[in-house]
């Protein structure tokens, strides 16, 4: 019985450790990808940063209201 409890504790600890590492990697990738996009990709198209996203112009908003 003691061996089964010890095994359960080890398995829970192992999966907790793996889950923590996976969460850290996901967080890192999300932050790194966003920073990369802002620095490199949008630096080539500065005019696109000032423009609102497509479908949000005043004319399109009026069409949706009317």
């Amino acid at each position: 019985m003691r061996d089964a409890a010890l095994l359960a504790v080890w398995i829970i600890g192992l999966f907790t450790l793996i889950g923590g590492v996976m969460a850290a990697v996901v967080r890192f990738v999300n932050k790194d990808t966003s920073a990369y996009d802002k620095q490199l990709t949008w630096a080539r198209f500065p005019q696109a940063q000032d423009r609102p996203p497509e479908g949000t112009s005043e004319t399109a908003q009026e069409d949706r209201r009317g």
Side-chain angles (χ1 to χ4, degrees):
M1 188 70 173
R2 182 175 182 270
D3 290 338
L6 189 59
L7 178 64
V9 168
W10 273 100
I11 290 175
I12 290 170
L14 178 65
F15 283 114
T16 301
L17 183 65
I18 290 171
V21 170
M22 287 176 60
V25 168
V26 167
R27 186 172 171 225
F28 171 74
V29 168
N30 282 337
K31 284 187 175 185
D32 188 53
T33 301
S34 298
Y36 175 82
D37 288 347
K38 287 178 185 175
Q39 286 180 341
L40 301 177
T41 305
W42 292 111
R44 295 182 185 187
F45 306 102
Q47 71 277 6
Q49 290 178 343
D50 300 331
R51 191 174 18 166
E54 290 184 22
T56 59
S57 68
E58 292 177 14
T59 307
Q61 289 176 358
E62 290 175 7
D63 290 345
R64 290 182 193 147
R65 291 181 199 150

